[in-house]
Amino acid sequence: MALLSMLHFRPRLLDSLQGYDRARFARDFGAGITVAVVALPLAMAFAIASGLKPEAGLFTAIIAGFIISALGGSRVQIGGPAGAFIVIVYGIVERYGVGNLIIATALSGVLLFLMGVFRLGTLVRFIPVAVIIGFTNGIAVLVALSQIKDFLGLHVPKMPGDFFGILGALWSHLHTVNPWAVGVALGSLAIVIAWQRWLPSLGPKVQFSGKLSSVPGSIVALVLATLVVGVFKLPVETIGSKFGGIPAALPAFTLPSFSWESARFLLMPTITLALLGAIESLLCARVADGMIGDRHDPNQELMAQGVANFVTPFFGGMPATGTIARTVTNVKSGATSPVAGMVHALALLAVILVAAPLAGSIPLATLAAILMFVAWNMGEWREFARLPTYRMPYRVTLVAVFLLTVIFDLTVAVEFGIFAACVTFIYRISSLSRSERLTAADHPDLAGRDDIQAWRLYGALFFGATKLVEQIEDHLPTRTLVLDLKNVIYIDSTGAESLENLVHTCHKQGVRLIVSGLMNQPADIAGRTGLTALLQERSADDVQPDVAAAIATAVAGAPEGLPDAAHMGYSGA
């Protein structure tokens, strides 16, 4: 307990249970059952699309969903398998096998937990929105692309994991289209869309429209399509014919066979799983905060995600994170605490134990249609239409990350996106930092004093803006230089070094340097780097509180026509 306290490990469940009563439990129970209904088809669909058996998604929703709710930092977040992981998981399974997926997922759990321990939850918010939108839309395209095979009922022995390989496989097997599968998929997609978009608009026109709209369209499509395929014996592929059904029990604990030859290549996939899991879960938690007027603990959430991802793969699961669709459903269904998420996991467990044999009749074309709808909702497509309203760096970053995600790899896309965002940020901040020479219009004491220069700097004096000091250094006055740093909000070590070089150059050329306006962070960095001591070493009045006092000191200490090197104690040589 002392260790957990030292780690600041405090699940939100502990606070939520204070004053917990029967009425709140009833609301949480109803919300949990509703979320379980939504999660059931999605969990199986995500697993199948990732190259795994459908039960892997269900096991993840049960085990990871329970752990994330019980240990997480949000009151209403629902954890489980997510569409964002499909591309990464499929690539790991395709290249390294399921055993190494277990290792990569467990290691990503360790990384997530350490991110929470070291209080890095807030850093995820610094990832630029252009990067997030770019790879989210890219993942949505890849998810939809991966479902074309089952949507059309194509007979493809093994789907490749890369973009061009998928296109090639689909094109070469296009002649194997199954019209029955296409019909089932289109009908299922129409039901899902109509149920979500059309039924709520009926309102009071239909007596039970409100209650019907609370039932997910994916469940309605799943039930109707399964009945139609079963009654009419349609020749379409089902979970039973493809995977042999779903076991009616949770798997036992298993350890994967470890191979260094393949595991040593898992570093980047592991980091990608951890970063994507952190981004997805914390973004989801922020959405939930806005809906319920609460504030989650990002570090506790990361630790919970870490525990879930470390435990789940050893019980037949896949990577898990916070899921926006299920979390929003949870909130709208009236959830008040993490108990709702725990109920959702237990409800799914009950479904597996009781109704697993029925899942074998679910057509894959219906699951593909559901994922097509999920992919469409996942992407923020309006951002492409709004691109002309943004600056060029934003447009380039978003489009580049999108294309790199689709064509190459999510890891490469995120790395490029963050690099491009950093370069853009440095350029923007350096362009906003500027300097201006003060004239007699600013301070009358400067009238007719060409031997005295006063400069005012704005913005941040960092490694990308040291040219401001260098330009002043290249054109020093003959007697005194005044620097006004009141409007400098930040100085880094490189900026402090450039000021030190200016001090030494002024010393060599016999020019007196007076600095004014050092405040807050610039004053702190000047003290810690020795810049303040260096200035005061030259003369007691080389640091002034404001530019007016600095200019007055410069004029008083430098009579017209007399060199000021003697005042500084320099030879001027």
Side-chain angles (χ1 to χ4, degrees):
M1 292 298 293
L3 178 61
L4 293 180
S5 177
M6 185 174 63
L7 295 177
H8 305 284
F9 189 91
R10 183 175 178 81
R12 197 60 181 274
L13 177 64
L14 299 179
D15 299 323
S16 299
L17 290 180
Q18 296 179 5
Y20 199 76
D21 54 22
R22 185 177 299 179
R24 288 183 62 190
F25 176 75
R27 294 175 62 186
D28 286 338
F29 184 83
I33 297 299
T34 303
V35 175
V37 174
V38 175
L40 181 65
L42 293 180
M44 292 187 291
F46 289 149
I48 293 172
S50 301
L52 303 171
K53 293 183 177 181
E55 59 262 30
L58 292 174
F59 296 157
T60 304
I62 294 170
I63 301 173
F66 189 91
I67 293 174
I68 290 172
S69 292
L71 303 181
S74 170
R75 285 200 291 118
V76 293
Q77 173 132 286
I78 301 295
F85 282 127
I86 289 176
V87 180
I88 304 171
V89 173
Y90 188 88
I92 296 174
V93 172
E94 179 73 15
R95 297 175 188 174
Y96 310 115
V98 176
N100 283 310
L101 172 64
I102 295 176
I103 296 173
T105 305
L107 290 177
S108 73
V110 174
L111 288 181
L112 283 166
F113 189 84
L114 291 176
M115 289 171 66
V117 169
F118 290 107
R119 322 296 289 173
L120 300 180
T122 56
L123 295 182
V124 176
R125 299 181 181 181
F126 293 125
I127 296 179
V129 66
V131 177
I132 295 175
I133 293 174
F135 80 68
T136 301
N137 286 5
I139 290 172
V141 170
L142 289 175
V143 169
L145 187 65
S146 68
Q147 296 310 299
I148 294 178
K149 168 183 170 292
D150 290 330
F151 196 95
L152 300 179
L154 303 179
H155 296 287
V156 183
K158 190 172 182 61
M159 284 291 290
D162 61 291
F163 174 73
F164 293 108
I166 293 174
L167 290 181
L170 293 175
W171 178 258
S172 60
H173 292 83
L174 201 57
H175 62 281
T176 64
V177 170
N178 182 345
W180 295 106
V182 175
V184 170
L186 290 175
S188 301
L189 185 59
I191 292 173
V192 173
I193 295 175
W195 203 263
Q196 177 169 323
R197 304 280 175 85
W198 174 69
L199 187 63
S201 65
L202 293 179
K205 298 178 183 178
V206 178
Q207 184 177 0
F208 300 106
S209 62
K211 295 181 179 180
L212 289 175
S213 61
S214 65
V215 179
S218 56
I219 285 292
V220 177
L222 208 65
V223 172
L224 293 180
T226 302
L227 288 175
V228 169
V229 169
V231 170
F232 294 99
K233 307 296 182 184
L234 300 182
V236 298
E237 204 167 30
T238 64
I239 289 179
S241 63
K242 179 71 178 287
F243 302 102
I246 294 176
L250 287 175
F253 177 83
T254 56
L255 285 173
S257 57
F258 181 82
S259 171
W260 176 249
E261 290 301 318
S262 56
R264 62 193 179 96
F265 296 109
L266 296 178
L267 176 62
M268 287 311 300
T270 296
I271 294 175
T272 303
L273 287 174
L275 288 178
L276 187 57
I279 294 170
E280 285 284 312
S281 62
L282 296 185
L283 285 178
C284 178
R286 289 180 66 183
V287 171
D289 286 349
M291 296 181 68
I292 64 176
D294 194 21
R295 181 175 297 177
H296 71 284
D297 182 346
N299 299 305
Q300 180 63 41
E301 188 63 33
L302 288 181
M303 287 189 279
Q305 298 284 341
V307 173
N309 279 281
F310 182 79
V311 173
T312 304
F314 297 111
F315 291 91
M318 56 188 289
T321 186
T323 56
I324 292 180
R326 278 157 276 178
T327 298
V328 171
T329 301
N330 191 39
V331 173
K332 290 185 176 181
S333 300
T336 67
S337 75
V339 172
M342 298 162 68
V343 169
H344 130 269
L346 295 176
L348 288 175
L349 175 60
V351 170
I352 281 187
L353 297 178
V354 175
L358 300 178
S361 302
I362 296 175
L364 297 184
T366 297
L367 293 179
I370 293 172
L371 275 188
M372 285 280 196
F373 186 72
V374 169
W376 174 257
N377 286 331
M378 182 190 302
E380 298 185 45
W381 311 111
R382 294 180 181 177
E383 291 299 316
F384 287 126
R386 295 171 56 189
L387 279 179
T389 64
Y390 294 110
R391 292 181 178 272
M392 182 61 69
Y394 181 94
R395 284 181 275 173
V396 171
T397 300
L398 193 154
V399 174
V401 171
F402 171 75
L403 293 177
L404 287 172
T405 300
V406 173
I407 298 175
F408 293 101
D409 182 74
L410 178 63
T411 305
V412 176
V414 173
E415 289 174 351
F416 171 82
I418 294 177
F419 172 77
C422 289
V423 172
T424 301
F425 177 78
I426 292 170
Y427 172 76
R428 292 289 299 156
I429 294 299
S430 63
S431 64
L432 292 174
S433 301
R434 60 186 178 88
S435 63
E436 66 177 16
R437 183 175 175 178
L438 302 182
T439 64
D442 302 296
H443 292 278
D445 289 343
L446 293 175
R449 301 307 300 261
D450 295 334
D451 56 338
I452 300 175
Q453 286 185 13
W455 289 84
R456 178 173 291 155
L457 274 60
Y458 296 85
L461 187 56
F462 70 116
F463 63 88
T466 55
K467 62 181 180 181
L468 300 179
V469 178
E470 293 171 355
Q471 290 170 354
I472 296 173
E473 186 177 344
D474 292 338
H475 302 87
L476 291 176
T478 58
R479 190 179 301 278
T480 306
L481 173 65
V482 176
L483 282 186
D484 180 14
L485 303 180
K486 180 182 65 176
N487 296 297
V488 174
I489 60 174
Y490 174 78
I491 297 179
D492 71 352
S493 56
T494 306
E497 183 181 8
S498 68
L499 290 176
E500 289 180 14
N501 292 335
L502 179 61
V503 172
H504 293 305
T505 302
C506 288
H507 172 64
K508 291 178 181 179
Q509 298 187 20
V511 176
R512 183 181 184 187
L513 174 62
I514 303 177
V515 175
S516 70
L518 274 173
M519 296 183 297
N520 301 325
Q521 191 274 344
D524 178 64
I525 195 70
R528 289 192 288 111
T529 59
L531 175 61
T532 303
L534 181 63
L535 287 167
Q536 293 175 340
E537 176 186 321
R538 304 306 185 198
S539 176
D541 44 50
D542 278 350
V543 179
Q544 295 289 339
D546 57 73
V547 69
I551 293 175
T553 300
V555 173
E560 188 172 359
L562 293 177
D564 193 50
H567 178 88
M568 291 290 292
Y570 302 151
S571 64

